[in-house]
């Protein structure tokens, strides 16, 4: 389960890798359809006290070759960001030895136009480095309010909702997306709905979206949806134990994977962070 507005951006793109090509065509960038999208570590810190962490770093493979795509979500003007973005690009290029592009996703036109301005580092008479990001925002992502258009490209409809979060038409955009989600596979609809909410962040549009979910998408409370949530907790438990180097026997694994009680699973998840043996997951269950 994703846990931030920034991660929502790259997950929407990962859900439909072809969106990269469609989004870039909106920017008049001649990118071929991706053959593969790989998520890379986002930590671009060198051996120094200053931490540098890009929101998302993806390696895109097309028929023409590979390149890096750095994805950043930007909610407002920040004079410190252009120099950080320049660092991300330079360091990612040096680390992976691949061409690098920076994509900024914005909620409003003012921020998008600010982010799109080239940033020069150096002297006015000799800029040593010029940083030019690609920017997606309400100025170049269409406002998808037509159900047929949304149904034909649901990831684009979700991106439209995120980039138009402050647009007066956001209610119609969200209603259209909510409507078409009822017509697709429940698991895919659940993923897109969650990512849309995360991408909307703390904007008023997020409240509108949650209201639509409670009215139009009641199937998210179905048995299937509950099972999907339980499976996510199970995966987290086993992943944490593996990362901590704790050996998980078949009996423990079977007991965890067969459990459908979300409350019990969440208790095991909390315990997985501190126990020293896998059997300790269940130690409290025999207590009176």
């Amino acid at each position: 389960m994703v846990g931030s507005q920034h991660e929502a951006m790259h997950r929407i793109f990962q859900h439909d890798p072809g969106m990269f090509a469609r989004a870039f065509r909106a920017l008049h960038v001649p990118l071929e359809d991706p053959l593969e999208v790989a998520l890379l570590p986002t930590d671009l810190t060198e051996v120094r006290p200053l931490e540098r962490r890009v929101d998302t770093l993806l390696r895109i493979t097309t028929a023409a070759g590979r390149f890096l795509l750095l994805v950043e979500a930007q909610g407002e003007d920040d004079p410190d960001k252009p120099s950080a973005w320049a660092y991300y690009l330079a360091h990612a290029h040096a680390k992976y030895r691949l061409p690098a592009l920076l994509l900024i996703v914005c909620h409003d036109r003012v921020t998008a136009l600010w982010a799109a301005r080239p940033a020069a580092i150096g002297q006015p008479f000799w800029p040593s480095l010029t940083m030019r990001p690609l920017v997606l925002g309400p100025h170049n992502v269409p406002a998808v309010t037509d159900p047929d258009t949304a149904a034909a490209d649901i990831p684009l409809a979700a991106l439209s909702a995120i980039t138009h979060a402050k647009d007066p038409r956001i209610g119609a955009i969200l209603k259209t997306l909510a409507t078409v989600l009822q017509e697709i596979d429940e698991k895919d609809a659940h993923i897109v709905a969650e990512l849309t909410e995360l991408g909307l962040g703390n904007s008023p549009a997020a409240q509108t979206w949650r209201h639509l979910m409670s009215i139009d998408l009641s199937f998210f409370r179905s048995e299937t949806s509950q099972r999907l949530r339980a499976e996510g907790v199970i995966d987290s438990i086993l992943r944490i134990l593996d990362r901590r180097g704790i050996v998980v026997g078949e009996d423990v694994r079977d007991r965890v994977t067969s459990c459908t009680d979300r409350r019990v699973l969440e208790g095991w998840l909390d315990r997985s962070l501190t126990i020293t043996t896998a059997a300790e997951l269940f130690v409290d269950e025999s207590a009176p």
Side-chain angles (χ1 to χ4, degrees):
M1 186 68 65
V2 295
S4 74
Q5 176 185 352
H6 297 155
E7 192 173 359
M9 298 301 180
H10 77 71
R11 289 292 181 89
I12 287 176
F13 282 116
Q14 280 191 313
H15 189 65
D16 178 10
M19 175 178 278
F20 283 113
R22 295 193 298 276
F24 284 173
R25 278 193 285 271
L27 297 169
H28 305 291
V29 176
L31 172 69
E32 298 186 14
D33 289 340
L35 303 177
E36 180 186 42
V37 178
L39 180 63
L40 301 178
T42 59
D43 190 346
L44 299 180
T45 308
E46 296 183 81
V47 184
R48 54 189 295 180
L50 181 63
E51 180 182 3
R52 297 289 192 182
R53 188 177 297 274
V54 67
D55 289 343
T56 300
L57 178 58
L58 300 169
R59 185 183 62 223
I60 311 295
T61 302
T62 71
R66 287 181 168 181
F67 69 94
L68 302 174
L69 183 69
L70 293 77
V71 183
E72 284 273 296
Q74 191 66 29
E76 59 185 12
D77 296 11
D78 183 347
D80 293 330
K81 273 304 182 73
S83 60
W85 292 338
Y87 175 94
Y88 297 159
L89 283 166
H91 187 61
H93 172 69
K95 181 175 181 179
Y96 292 100
R97 298 295 181 182
L98 290 172
L101 294 175
L102 173 65
L103 177 65
I104 312 296
V105 183
C106 300
H107 273 177
D108 62 87
R109 181 181 178 85
V110 172
T111 303
L113 294 178
W114 164 81
R117 292 182 300 183
I121 297 175
Q123 291 288 348
F125 64 87
W126 195 277
S128 298
L129 176 65
T130 301
M131 191 276 303
R132 297 180 59 207
L134 300 164
V135 177
L136 289 177
H139 64 300
N140 57 12
V141 175
V144 180
T145 58
D146 175 62
D148 291 337
T149 302
D153 197 338
I154 289 177
L156 180 61
L159 185 62
S160 174
I162 291 171
T163 55
H164 288 270
K166 299 179 181 179
D167 191 299
R169 297 167 292 177
I170 187 59
I173 295 170
L174 294 176
K175 179 62 177 177
T176 298
L177 178 58
T179 299
V180 300
L181 288 186
Q182 297 181 72
E183 307 300 323
I184 67 172
D185 176 78
E186 181 179 335
K187 183 175 181 180
D188 288 342
H190 179 85
I191 292 171
V192 175
E194 294 275 1
L195 293 175
T196 300
E197 180 174 343
L198 290 168
L200 292 170
N202 296 321
S203 67
Q207 295 293 335
T208 302
W209 183 244
R210 283 189 284 270
H211 179 66
L212 287 171
M213 295 301 94
S214 65
I215 295 175
D216 291 348
L217 298 181
S218 59
F219 61 78
F220 282 160
R221 298 189 294 273
S222 68
E223 181 179 346
T224 299
S225 185
Q226 295 298 326
R227 175 179 54 79
L228 290 173
R229 291 188 177 95
E231 289 176 355
V233 180
I234 289 170
D235 289 343
S236 296
I237 293 170
L238 297 176
R239 183 179 178 84
I240 289 172
L241 293 176
D242 178 66
R243 287 296 183 91
R244 296 187 60 223
I246 296 177
V247 177
V248 178
E250 288 301 317
D251 55 337
V252 172
R253 184 178 297 275
D254 290 344
R255 186 168 175 179
V256 171
T257 56
S258 63
C259 181
T260 59
D261 188 321
R262 177 67 180 265
R263 182 185 60 81
V264 172
L265 287 169
E266 288 178 345
W268 292 348
L269 178 61
D270 292 341
R271 210 170 298 151
S272 68
L273 297 169
T274 57
I275 58 177
T276 57
T277 67
E280 292 177 41
L281 276 176
F282 321 115
V283 69
D284 291 345
E285 296 177 6
S286 59

